[in-house]
């Protein structure tokens, strides 16, 4: 008898976008469930939500947000919880407050993604090696919306595991429907960061083409996602362990 697959979206009060990276077809079978979770902010999660994740085996949380975001909306886990916590900002100092004039037809989110990948490689490498070297148990990484920073890390992991580009793009695009209920809150947060209305709309987009173009960019510039990871300093052993976390 077939065992039903777990739900990809994990409904936890106070969150909108907690998702499992398991169950995707890969070169060697499929990615395994309840190994890696991608998520939006955990700030509004209550004790029941914490217990839900702990009961699922949560062992490590990686916060990809900048210091100002984490200060306004700190993660709910404390030193009394059996969870190792890391904060590794991957977009440090590169989120724009305005776009250059005349770029209305340019995918500025793609510009942001490629800039982050090329200028913040050390941070991405730190995130991935932290996942590789984490203790056994469930690893969750998150930002504010679970779309951009989280989406790039998820894309790198899935590509390394041999998941096809179109599947990675579909995983990225799931955020759009899940985060619709929190859109007004996200807009307010962007205004709080001093961003103009012209910046906010492109930043909140979640077009499949953006992730597709980003993966194409990495292949064209570095030969493959694995080539990019090697370029930023993620060693062969760590890459192998990351593949094992998702596949074995």
């Amino acid at each position: 008898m077939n065992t039903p697959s777990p739900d990809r979206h994990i409904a936890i009060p106070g969150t909108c976008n907690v998702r499992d990276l398991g169950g995707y077809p890969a070169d060697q079978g499929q990615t395994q469930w309840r190994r890696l979770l991608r998520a939006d902010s955990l700030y509004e999660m209550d004790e029941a939500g914490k217990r839900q994740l702990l009961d699922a085996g949560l062992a490590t949380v990686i916060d990809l947000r900048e210091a100002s975001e984490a200060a306004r909306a700190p993660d709910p886990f404390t030193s009394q919880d059996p969870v190792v916590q890391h904060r590794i900002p991957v977009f440090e100092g590169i989120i724009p407050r305005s776009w250059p004039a005349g770029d209305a037809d340019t995918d500025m989110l793609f510009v942001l993604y490629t800039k982050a990948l090329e200028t913040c490689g050390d941070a991405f490498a730190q995130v991935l090696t932290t996942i590789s070297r984490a203790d056994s148990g469930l690893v969750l990484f998150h930002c504010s919306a679970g779309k951009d920073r989280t989406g790039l890390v998820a894309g790198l992991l899935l590509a390394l595991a041999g998941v096809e580009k179109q599947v990675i793009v579909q995983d990225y695009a799931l955020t759009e429907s899940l985060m619709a209920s929190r859109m007004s809150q996200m807009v307010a947060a962007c205004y709080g960061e001093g961003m103009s209305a012209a910046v906010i709309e492109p930043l909140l987009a979640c077009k499949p083409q953006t992730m597709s173009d980003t993966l194409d960019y990495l292949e064209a510039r570095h030969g493959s996602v694995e080539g990019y990871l090697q370029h930023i300093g993620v060693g062969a052993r760590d890459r192998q362990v990351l593949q094992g976390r998702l596949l074995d």
Side-chain angles (χ1 to χ4, degrees):
M1 182 173 66
N2 292 331
T3 302
S5 296
D7 292 331
R8 180 163 310 287
H9 173 232
I10 304 174
I12 298 176
T15 71
C16 296
N17 198 17
V18 179
R19 307 206 311 265
D20 199 307
L21 293 185
Y24 286 131
D27 289 344
Q28 302 176 42
Q30 72 172 25
T31 57
Q32 298 300 301
W33 294 99
R34 298 306 187 255
R35 303 286 182 84
L36 294 173
L37 299 183
R38 54 175 295 170
D40 56 324
S41 173
L42 308 178
Y43 173 60
E44 296 181 355
M45 188 172 62
D46 60 13
E47 288 298 321
K50 287 172 57 177
R51 176 49 51 192
Q52 187 176 344
L53 286 174
L54 291 171
D55 288 346
L58 182 67
T60 302
V61 171
I62 303 174
D63 185 349
L64 307 175
R65 300 173 299 167
E66 295 186 33
S68 60
E69 297 172 274
R72 285 196 310 272
D75 281 354
F77 294 98
T78 69
S79 58
Q80 284 72 48
D81 295 309
V83 175
V84 178
Q85 300 180 71
H86 305 267
R87 192 175 63 78
I88 309 172
V90 295
F91 277 13
E92 192 78 76
I94 71 164
I95 298 178
R97 297 300 180 260
S98 63
W99 299 121
D103 282 331
D105 295 329
T106 301
D107 184 348
M108 298 308 297
L109 206 51
F110 167 75
V111 173
L112 178 64
Y113 288 1
T114 53
K115 181 179 180 180
L117 289 166
E118 296 298 352
T119 63
C120 304
D122 289 347
F124 281 103
Q126 186 181 354
V127 171
L128 293 170
T129 55
T130 298
I131 295 172
S132 167
R133 300 172 190 183
D135 293 337
S136 59
L138 190 59
V139 177
L140 181 151
F141 54 94
H142 78 94
C143 54
S144 292
K147 177 174 75 72
D148 304 314
R149 294 161 287 191
T150 296
L152 287 174
V153 172
L156 295 173
L157 288 165
L158 291 173
L160 182 64
V163 176
E164 291 186 358
K165 183 180 81 169
Q166 189 55 41
V167 176
I168 299 171
V169 169
Q170 291 169 355
D171 178 79
Y172 168 79
L174 283 173
T175 290
E176 183 172 25
S177 59
L178 291 171
M179 289 302 296
S181 62
R182 191 173 279 185
M183 191 61 67
S184 61
Q185 183 179 346
M186 294 163 61
V187 170
C190 289
Y191 278 123
E193 289 289 324
M195 299 177 194
S196 68
V199 171
I200 292 172
E201 184 175 349
L203 277 181
L204 296 184
C206 192
K207 299 177 182 177
Q209 193 63 43
T210 300
M211 180 55 69
S212 180
D213 289 345
T214 300
L215 294 171
D216 288 344
Y217 169 88
L218 288 176
E219 183 172 357
R221 186 168 178 83
H222 299 283
S224 64
V225 165
E226 185 161 9
Y228 169 73
L229 298 185
Q230 184 175 3
H231 168 73
I232 63 174
V234 181
R237 175 60 180 162
D238 285 310
R239 299 197 305 271
Q240 183 180 24
V241 171
L242 288 169
Q243 289 171 329
R245 273 193 177 267
L246 272 169
L247 295 172
D248 292 345

